[in-house]
C-alpha cells in the first residue's frame, strides 16, 4: 500500500507525505503493521489518525452561501492505507450480500451500466401496448456527512461483518477532530461523531412513501432541488397528471461535441510546439477522445445522423492537426460496446449477465427480442448482436 502512494497528493494534518511512505516503504511497513494490528486487536483507531483539515472548494464562480462550497478533507495518508486494507476485507465479506443493482463503488460496474440496465427494464416494459414508465431520481443532501455510526454498525452486522471489525469502524467514525483552513487562516478544532470521509400508481406511491420513511429512519435528507420525477410515455393520450417529456431528444452529443471542440484548441497549441505525433495522439486519446466516448454505449444508437456527422467532423479536425488516421465515432461505439459486453457476460455477479444467454451450441448468444426500434437500438440487444457477429 505504501509503494502505491501517489507522490503528488497532499499530506494530511500529521505532515506525513505520500512520497515519504513510498520511498521508505520497506523501512516503515513493519512498524506501521504492528501499530495497525494492535489497532485491530483493541478495536480502536488512534486519535492522531482521525484528524482532518477541511478545505472549502467553490463549486461555482459566484458564492451565495455555504452550500456553494464542496468540503475537501485532508486526512492522514497512513490512515488511508489502513482504510484500503480494511476495505479489501469488507468487500470479500459483504459482496455476496450486496444488492446486485448497486453500481457505485463496485468492480466492473459503471454509470453507463446503471443507465443501460434502467433503459433495458423501461424499454422492455414499454414494448407492451398501453403502458408508460414513471421514474423517480433521488438525491441526498450531504449523504456521507449524515452517517450515524450506530446505524451503520447495525447494517454492517446484518451483512455478516465480524463484530470486532464493526467496532473498529465505529471507533474510526467517532470523536473525529476537524478544522477548516481557508487560505492562510485555520479555524479552531472541533470534534464530530457523524459522517464519513467521502408500474402501478398505487404501488409507485407506496414505494415513494417507503423511501421517505427509510430516509427518516437512517438520517438521510432528500435534496428537493435534485430529486425529480420523469414519465416516459409514447402513447398519444397520456394519463392525466403525468408530466410527459415531449421535448427534443437528449442533447448529450451536442454537449460532448462542444466540449471536445474546446479542447482542440490545446491540441493546436501543442502542434505549434512541434510535439511528436505519438504525444499528440496520446493527448487526443486522453483529453478529446475520452470526452467523445462519454456514455457512448447509451446515446450513440439514438443520436441523429446529423449529430454523428458533427462528432465525426471533430475527429477529422483532430486527424488534420495530428497528421494520422484516428478511430471514427462509429468504431469507438463498436469497440466500447463489445468491451462492455465481454466484461458483463463473463461476470456472473453483474445484473446484466443473464441477458447474455448462450445457445445450446455454446458459440452464439440468444438474440434479445424487442418489438420496437427504440428497444432494439438500446445497449443489450445491440451488444448481443455485436457479440454474435464477432463469433461469426
Amino acid at each position: 500500500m505504501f509503494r502505491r502512494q501517489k507522490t503528488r497528493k497532499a499530506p494530511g494534518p500529521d505532515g506525513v507525505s505520500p512520497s515519504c511512505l513510498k520511498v521508505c516503504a520497506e523501512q516503515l511497513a513493519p512498524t506501521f503493521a504492528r501499530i495497525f494490528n494492535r489497532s485491530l486487536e483493541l478495536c480502536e483507531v488512534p486519535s492522531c489518525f482521525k484528524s482532518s483539515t477541511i478545505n472549502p472548494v467553490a463549486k461555482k464562480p459566484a458564492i451565495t452561501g455555504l452550500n456553494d462550497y464542496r468540503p475537501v478533507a485532508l486526512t492522514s495518508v497512513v490512515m488511508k492505507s489502513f482504510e484500503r486494507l480494511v476495505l479489501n476485507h469488507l468487500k470479500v465479506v459483504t459482496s455476496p450480500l450486496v444488492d446486485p443493482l448497486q453500481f457505485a463503488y463496485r468492480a466492473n460496474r459503471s454509470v453507463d451500466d446503471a443507465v443501460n440496465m434502467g433503459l433495458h427494464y423501461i424499454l422492455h416494459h414499454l414494448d407492451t401496448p398501453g403502458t408508460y414508465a414513471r421514474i423517480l431520481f433521488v438525491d441526498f443532501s450531504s449523504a456521507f456527512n449524515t452517517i450515524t455510526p450506530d446505524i451503520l454498525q447495525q447494517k454492517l452486522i446484518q451483512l455478516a461483518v465480524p463484530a470486532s471489525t464493526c467496532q473498529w469502524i465505529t471507533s474510526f467514525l467517532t470523536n473525529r477532530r476537524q478544522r477548516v483552513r481557508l487560505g492562510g487562516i485555520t479555524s479552531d478544532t472541533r470534534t464530530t461523531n457523524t459522517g464519513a470521509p467521502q408500474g402501478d400508481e398505487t404501488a409507485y406511491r407506496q414505494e415513494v412513501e417507503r423511501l421517505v420513511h427509510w430516509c427518516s429512519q437512517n438520517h438521510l435528507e432528500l435534496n428537493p432541488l435534485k430529486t425529480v420525477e420523469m414519465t416516459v410515455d409514447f402513447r398519444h393520450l397520456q394519463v392525466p397528471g403525468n408530466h410527459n417529456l415531449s421535448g427534443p431528444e437528449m442533447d448529450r452529443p451536442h454537449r460532448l461535441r462542444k466540449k471536445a471542440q474546446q479542447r482542440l484548441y490545446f491540441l493546436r497549441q501543442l502542434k505549434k510546439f512541434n510535439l511528436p505525433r505519438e504525444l499528440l495522439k496520446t493527448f487526443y486519446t486522453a483529453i478529446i477522445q475520452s470526452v467523445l466516448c462519454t456514455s457512448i454505449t447509451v446515446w450513440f444508437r439514438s443520436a441523429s445522423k446529423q449529430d454523428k456527422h458533427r462528432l465525426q467532423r471533430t475527429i477529422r479536425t483532430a486527424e488534420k492537426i495530428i497528421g494520422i488516421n484516428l478511430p471514427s465515432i462509429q468504431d469507438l461505439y463498436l469497440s466500447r460496446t463489445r468491451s462492455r459486453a465481454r466484461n458483463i457476460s463473463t461476470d456472473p455477479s453483474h445484473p446484466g449477465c443473464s441477458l447474455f444467454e448462450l445457445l445450446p451450441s455454446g458459440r452464439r448468444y440468444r438474440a434479445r427480442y424487442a418489438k420496437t426500434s427504440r428497444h432494439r437500438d438500446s445497449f443489450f440487444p445491440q451488444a448481443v448482436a455485436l457479440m454474435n457477429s464477432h463469433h461469426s
Side-chain angles (χ1 to χ4, degrees):
M1 285 297 174
F2 286 172
R3 289 196 183 104
R4 294 177 189 172
Q5 295 296 324
K6 296 179 180 179
T7 56
R8 294 185 179 181
K9 295 287 186 179
D14 55 14
V16 180
S17 67
S19 58
C20 173
L21 293 180
K22 185 168 187 173
V23 173
C24 304
E26 188 175 348
Q27 293 81 11
L28 294 175
T31 299
F32 279 111
R34 287 195 294 272
I35 294 173
F36 189 38
N37 285 329
R38 185 61 174 160
S39 171
L40 290 173
E41 289 171 7
L42 298 174
C43 302
E44 187 175 340
V45 177
S47 58
C48 60
F49 289 154
K50 296 194 287 186
S51 298
S52 59
T53 301
I54 310 296
N55 288 334
V57 177
K59 292 191 283 188
K60 53 179 70 174
I63 303 300
T64 58
L66 292 178
N67 286 334
D68 293 337
Y69 287 101
R70 177 177 288 107
V72 177
L74 295 179
T75 57
S76 168
V77 182
V78 174
M79 191 61 214
K80 287 179 182 177
S81 298
F82 289 177
E83 290 174 50
R84 291 190 185 99
L85 292 172
V86 173
L87 178 61
N88 292 340
H89 170 67
L90 284 175
K91 285 181 177 178
V92 173
V93 175
T94 61
S95 288
L97 299 173
V98 173
D99 189 328
L101 290 175
Q102 177 177 321
F103 292 88
Y105 309 110
R106 300 189 70 185
N108 195 28
R109 303 287 194 279
S110 68
V111 173
D112 289 6
D113 288 352
V115 175
N116 281 323
M117 286 300 302
L119 282 174
H120 171 74
Y121 292 134
I122 292 166
L123 295 174
H124 179 73
H125 172 70
L126 292 174
D127 271 355
T128 304
T131 59
Y132 68 96
R134 205 163 186 176
I135 312 159
L136 185 68
F137 298 89
V138 176
D139 182 81
F140 296 112
S141 298
S142 303
F144 281 95
N145 296 332
T146 59
I147 292 174
T148 303
D150 291 340
I151 294 178
L152 176 62
Q153 182 168 328
Q154 293 171 15
K155 294 183 181 296
L156 290 173
I157 291 173
Q158 291 172 3
L159 290 172
V161 176
S164 59
T165 305
C166 293
Q167 292 172 20
W168 185 89
I169 293 173
T170 300
S171 172
F172 170 65
L173 293 176
T174 53
N175 296 319
R176 300 183 62 84
R177 294 173 61 79
Q178 296 181 343
R179 58 183 182 177
V180 177
R181 184 170 64 205
L182 186 60
I185 302 173
T186 304
S187 72
D188 294 333
T189 301
R190 286 194 177 183
T191 301
T192 178
N193 289 308
T194 59
Q198 261 230 3
D200 175 82
E201 282 296 312
T202 304
Y204 174 83
R205 296 186 183 283
Q206 289 175 348
E207 197 66 29
V208 173
E209 289 173 1
R210 281 180 56 199
L211 171 65
V212 173
H213 180 65
W214 181 87
C215 292
S216 175
Q217 286 184 318
N218 290 276
H219 299 273
L220 286 168
E221 181 182 353
L222 292 173
N223 184 345
L225 298 178
K226 294 183 181 179
T227 298
V228 296
E229 183 187 52
M230 180 174 73
T231 299
V232 183
D233 194 346
F234 295 99
R235 298 172 300 168
H236 293 294
L237 296 174
Q238 281 86 34
V239 174
N242 280 357
H243 301 286
N244 183 52
L245 294 182
S246 56
E249 290 186 341
M250 68 173 75
D251 62 346
R252 179 176 288 278
H254 171 72
R255 296 200 306 271
L256 296 182
R257 181 173 61 89
K258 184 177 179 182
K259 194 172 183 180
Q261 286 179 332
Q262 290 172 343
R263 298 184 179 194
L264 284 175
Y265 166 79
F266 298 103
L267 186 64
R268 291 189 179 96
Q269 293 300 108
L270 293 174
K271 175 71 172 179
K272 290 179 181 179
F273 285 100
N274 298 317
L275 258 69
R277 286 180 178 177
E278 284 303 314
L279 284 179
L280 291 174
K281 182 181 178 183
T282 300
F283 177 87
Y284 165 81
T285 302
I287 306 301
I288 300 175
Q289 182 178 289
S290 62
V291 170
L292 296 174
C293 289
T294 303
S295 298
I296 194 170
T297 63
V298 177
W299 57 260
F300 182 82
R301 290 286 300 186
S302 62
S304 66
K305 289 184 179 179
Q306 186 180 34
D307 282 332
K308 293 175 186 176
H309 176 72
R310 288 171 175 170
L311 290 169
Q312 185 58 38
R313 199 160 56 195
T314 301
I315 295 176
R316 287 200 200 99
T317 302
E319 288 179 329
K320 292 177 182 178
I321 297 171
I322 302 174
I324 60 173
N325 292 327
L326 297 168
S328 68
I329 193 69
Q330 173 82 12
D331 291 339
L332 292 173
Y333 162 73
L334 293 175
S335 63
R336 293 299 175 99
T337 301
R338 285 196 184 101
S339 175
R340 282 311 304 149
R342 282 195 299 269
N343 290 339
I344 293 172
S345 64
T346 55
D347 181 359
S349 69
H350 197 289
C353 183
S354 61
L355 300 175
F356 293 89
E357 181 186 358
L358 280 170
L359 293 169
S361 65
R363 289 186 292 180
R364 292 172 62 84
Y365 293 95
R366 191 179 302 281
R368 304 305 309 174
Y369 177 71
K371 291 182 180 179
T372 58
S373 59
R374 58 178 174 265
H375 190 186
R376 283 193 297 273
D377 286 339
S378 62
F379 173 76
F380 286 102
Q382 289 297 316
V384 169
L386 283 173
M387 293 284 278
N388 284 339
S389 65
H390 178 71
H391 287 304
S392 298

